[in-house]
């Protein structure tokens, strides 16, 4: 009898893997290297002028992100996807925010915020800074994660959390966009589009930030190009701290991952606070950062889409998608 059971285990595992694969196929079909190239090419095009804060190029990028959110079907949090970001001297930027409900049939009152800044340096001294890795890469990851999770919900999967996707403006201006977004939460002005009730701090389970996720130029100790860094796992509940590694194995993504910044305790602490997750950390919200690290291309005029390995970017998006889907349960 025991021998029969042992013989059946591999077949059971194969069936389970096939079932998991089928469930996620509609989502994975949403993302191709060609599509990522098109999206990043738009954000790094001269039309967007380097996406400087409160510039015409920045507005063009913001309008494009709004159209993508509308195409995907995210709900507006208010009258518009755009949320104003004031910086004085009549400088006005816009965060772009939309919500994916956790269920098509039931309202939820728990939220996960997923963010990525879309602004960059713009044009300085007559030279355009395209910002492919920084942070067109994070922006297209954000958009594709929204589309993938929407496809999963349309497939019939419900989750215990709503997800708010935010493309932050003003990160290069001392994180003005994420600070402005937090003020909406703090003042009770960010409201659930389904219930009309304020989205309060106590209802936010997690903030996920994606900043510079496209490069392969700063690999980990193994030297592999298909790597990714995740910081902030200590802010998660113990049962969820190993979930990225579990998803990496469970879904056969097999990416080289590190939960520190290249093994340095001091740099891990420093880089964990250098992007838009900081305002959430400071207000007691669990927060993580996904990145592929700092490279010699950052803040350079040659940070273009042609320097990005789009197949590896797609692989990173898949891993974040699987991990985030587990966080939503």
């Amino acid at each position: 009898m025991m021998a029969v059971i042992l013989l059946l285990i591999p077949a059971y595992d194969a069936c389970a893997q096939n079932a998991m694969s089928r469930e996620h196929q509609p989502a994975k079909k949403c993302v191709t290297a060609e599509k990522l190239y098109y999206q990043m090419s738009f954000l790094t095009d001269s039309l967007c002028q380097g996406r400087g804060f409160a510039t015409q190029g920045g507005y063009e990028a913001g309008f494009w992100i709004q159209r993508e959110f509308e195409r995907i079907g995210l709900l507006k949090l208010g009258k518009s996807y755009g949320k104003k970001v004031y910086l004085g001297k009549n400088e006005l930027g816009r965060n772009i925010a939309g919500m994916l409900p956790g269920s098509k049939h039931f309202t939820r009152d728990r939220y996960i915020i997923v963010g990525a800044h879309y602004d960059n340096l713009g044009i300085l001294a007559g030279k355009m800074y395209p910002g492919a890795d920084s942070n067109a890469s994070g922006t297209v990851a954000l958009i594709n994660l929204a589309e993938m999770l929407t496809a999963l919900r349309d497939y019939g999967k419900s989750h215990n959390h709503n997800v708010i996707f935010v493309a932050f403006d003003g990160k290069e201006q001392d994180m003005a966009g994420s600070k402005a977004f937090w003020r909406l939460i703090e003042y009770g002005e960010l409201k659930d589009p389904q219930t009309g009730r304020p989205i309060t701090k106590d209802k936010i389970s997690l903030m996920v930030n994606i900043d510079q996720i496209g490069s392969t130029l700063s690999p980990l100790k193994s030297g592999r190009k298909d790597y990714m860094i995740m910081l902030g796992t200590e802010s998660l509940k113990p049962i969820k701290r190993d979930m990225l590694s579990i998803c990496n194995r469970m879904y056969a993504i097999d990416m080289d991952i590190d939960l520190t910044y290249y093994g340095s305790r001091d740099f891990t602490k420093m880089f964990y606070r250098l992007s838009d997750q900081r305002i959430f950390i400071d207000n007691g919200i669990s927060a993580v950062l996904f990145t592929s690290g700092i490279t010699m291309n950052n803040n350079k005029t040659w940070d273009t889409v042609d320097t990005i390995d789009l197949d590896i970017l797609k692989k990173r998006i898949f891993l974040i998608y699987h991990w985030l889907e587990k966080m939503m349960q």
Side-chain angles (χ1 to χ4, degrees):
M1 183 66 178
M2 181 59 70
V4 173
I5 292 173
L6 291 173
L7 286 171
L8 289 175
I9 286 175
Y12 175 81
D13 286 345
C15 289
Q17 286 287 344
N18 288 335
M20 287 193 298
S21 178
R22 284 196 300 272
E23 180 180 63
H24 295 290
Q25 279 308 305
K28 291 190 172 183
K29 286 180 180 178
C30 295
V31 188
T32 65
E34 292 76 16
K35 179 182 173 185
L36 295 174
Y37 183 83
Y38 164 77
Q39 292 173 325
M40 293 191 68
S41 294
F42 179 87
L43 290 172
T44 57
D45 188 78
S46 58
L47 177 68
C48 293
Q49 302 174 351
R51 308 186 306 283
F53 182 80
T55 66
Q56 184 58 43
Y59 297 147
E60 291 287 353
F63 292 143
W64 179 80
I65 296 167
Q66 289 186 67
R67 291 193 295 271
E68 287 292 284
F69 280 11
E70 186 172 20
R71 175 184 65 82
I72 293 166
L74 299 185
L75 302 183
K76 299 173 184 176
L77 292 104
K79 295 180 180 180
S80 170
Y81 292 113
K83 304 297 177 186
K84 295 179 181 178
V85 180
Y86 294 101
L87 197 61
K89 300 180 182 179
N90 296 319
E91 291 182 298
L92 175 65
R94 284 181 175 81
N95 294 327
I96 314 299
M99 192 184 89
L100 173 65
S103 170
K104 297 177 73 172
H105 306 291
F106 305 100
T107 57
R108 311 290 190 188
D109 63 354
R110 301 297 296 167
Y111 303 86
I112 292 174
I113 296 173
V114 182
H117 77 91
Y118 71 92
D119 66 305
N120 192 42
L121 301 179
I123 296 176
L124 301 175
K127 296 181 179 179
M128 190 183 86
Y129 290 75
D133 188 26
S134 180
N135 187 34
S137 63
T139 303
V140 301
L142 178 83
I143 291 168
N144 281 276
L145 286 168
E147 186 167 4
M148 292 176 78
L149 289 168
T150 299
L152 181 63
R153 194 195 67 157
D154 290 345
Y155 182 80
K157 186 72 177 285
S158 293
H159 293 95
N160 291 329
H161 287 78
N162 308 306
V163 184
I164 299 172
F165 295 93
V166 192
F168 293 116
D169 202 356
K171 188 265 184 178
E172 304 297 344
Q173 304 293 329
D174 193 28
M175 290 172 273
S178 51
K179 290 177 180 177
F181 193 78
W182 180 259
R183 285 194 294 272
L184 292 179
I185 297 170
E186 193 173 33
Y187 299 155
E189 296 176 4
L190 190 71
K191 297 181 179 179
D192 188 299
Q194 293 185 302
T195 66
R197 292 193 292 266
I199 298 170
T200 53
K201 171 184 171 179
D202 60 295
K203 296 178 181 178
I204 301 171
S205 300
L206 176 66
M207 192 273 169
V208 180
N209 191 31
I210 308 170
D211 195 351
Q212 297 184 185
I213 200 73
S215 179
T216 56
L217 298 178
S218 297
L220 304 173
K221 291 180 181 179
S222 70
R224 287 170 51 181
K225 293 173 68 176
D226 58 337
Y227 68 95
M228 187 167 65
I229 296 167
M230 177 187 185
L231 304 181
T233 52
E234 66 277 3
S235 73
L236 304 175
K237 294 179 180 179
I239 196 172
K240 294 187 175 182
R241 290 177 186 171
D242 292 329
M243 189 55 68
L244 190 70
S245 297
I246 292 170
C247 289
N248 199 30
R249 296 192 303 270
M250 182 184 298
Y251 296 100
I253 296 175
D254 190 31
M255 180 165 285
D256 194 14
I257 58 177
D258 196 345
L259 305 182
T260 69
Y261 197 80
Y262 298 96
S264 169
R265 182 177 179 180
D266 291 339
F267 278 113
T268 298
K269 289 182 178 179
M270 181 177 71
F271 277 93
Y272 182 47
R273 296 181 56 82
L274 282 183
S275 191
D276 289 302
Q277 71 276 3
R278 187 173 75 188
I279 188 68
F280 296 88
I281 296 168
D282 289 344
N283 283 279
I285 303 295
S286 297
V288 300
L289 168 67
F290 288 103
T291 184
S292 53
I294 303 297
T295 75
M296 295 300 293
N297 283 1
N298 296 144
N299 298 333
K300 301 295 193 302
T301 57
W302 55 84
D303 183 12
T304 64
V305 66
D306 293 325
T307 68
I308 304 299
D309 188 320
L310 297 167
D311 287 321
I312 290 179
L313 175 58
K314 181 176 74 170
K315 193 173 181 179
R316 288 171 178 151
I317 292 170
F318 282 178
L319 181 54
I320 297 172
Y321 158 81
H322 284 300
W323 175 85
L324 184 57
E325 195 265 331
K326 299 301 182 190
M327 296 299 106
M328 293 165 62
Q329 294 177 11

